[in-house]
């Protein structure tokens, strides 16, 4: 990752959007039962997650999280004929995460034998 002196290389950020989707209606079938609504008026119990990153600033991660949340909220079904337009997913939580990068000793070279991995 190429950086310039203004960036902080000790932290990385990522955007996280948690959302739920509508439960599909088991009675609906595109050929046999097209007049039955495709989705129920209930949300699934499972929370799904969109994760993007890493980013080098919190602001970039916030912007991406906002874009992803807005995109998820726009997902809809219907709107043609007599079918009303309904949202197929709803955002339950939007946040950013930070990972602090810290330097730690990994391998050491013995000054006398000049070999690596001797501890």
């Amino acid at each position: 990752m190429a950086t310039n002196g203004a960036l902080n290389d000790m932290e990385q950020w990522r955007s996280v959007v948690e959302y739920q989707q509508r439960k599909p209606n088991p009675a609906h079938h595109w050929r046999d039962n097209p007049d039955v609504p495709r989705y129920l008026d209930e949300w699934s119990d499972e929370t799904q997650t969109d994760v993007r990153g890493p980013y080098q600033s919190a602001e970039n991660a916030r912007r991406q999280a906002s874009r992803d949340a807005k995109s998820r909220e726009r997902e809809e079904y219907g709107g043609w004929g007599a079918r009303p337009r309904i949202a197929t997913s709803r955002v339950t939580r939007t946040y950013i995460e930070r990972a602090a990068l810290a330097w730690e000793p990994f391998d050491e070279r013995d000054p006398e034998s000049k070999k690596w991995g001797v501890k």
Side-chain angles (χ1 to χ4, degrees), residues 6-77:
L7 296 175
N8 182 0
D9 291 337
M10 299 305 291
E11 290 180 329
Q12 288 187 349
W13 304 82
R14 69 182 188 172
S15 67
V16 183
V17 176
E18 294 179 356
Y19 63 96
Q20 292 176 316
Q21 292 186 317
R22 282 193 187 267
K23 288 185 179 179
N25 189 347
H28 173 80
H29 189 272
W30 64 274
R31 186 174 19 142
D32 300 334
N33 230 354
D35 296 331
V36 174
R38 183 172 184 172
Y39 296 101
L40 300 173
D41 287 335
E42 302 172 26
W43 298 98
S44 66
D45 298 330
E46 180 183 335
T47 299
Q48 298 181 359
T49 307
D50 283 341
V51 179
R52 300 248 184 142
Y55 300 99
Q56 288 187 338
S57 74
E59 188 58 35
N60 290 343
R62 277 189 204 102
R63 287 182 184 137
Q64 186 62 51
S66 296
R67 282 192 294 265
D68 288 345
K70 190 158 184 112
S71 175
R72 278 285 167 205
E73 290 170 350
R74 279 194 202 134
E75 291 181 2
E76 46 190 36
Y77 177 78

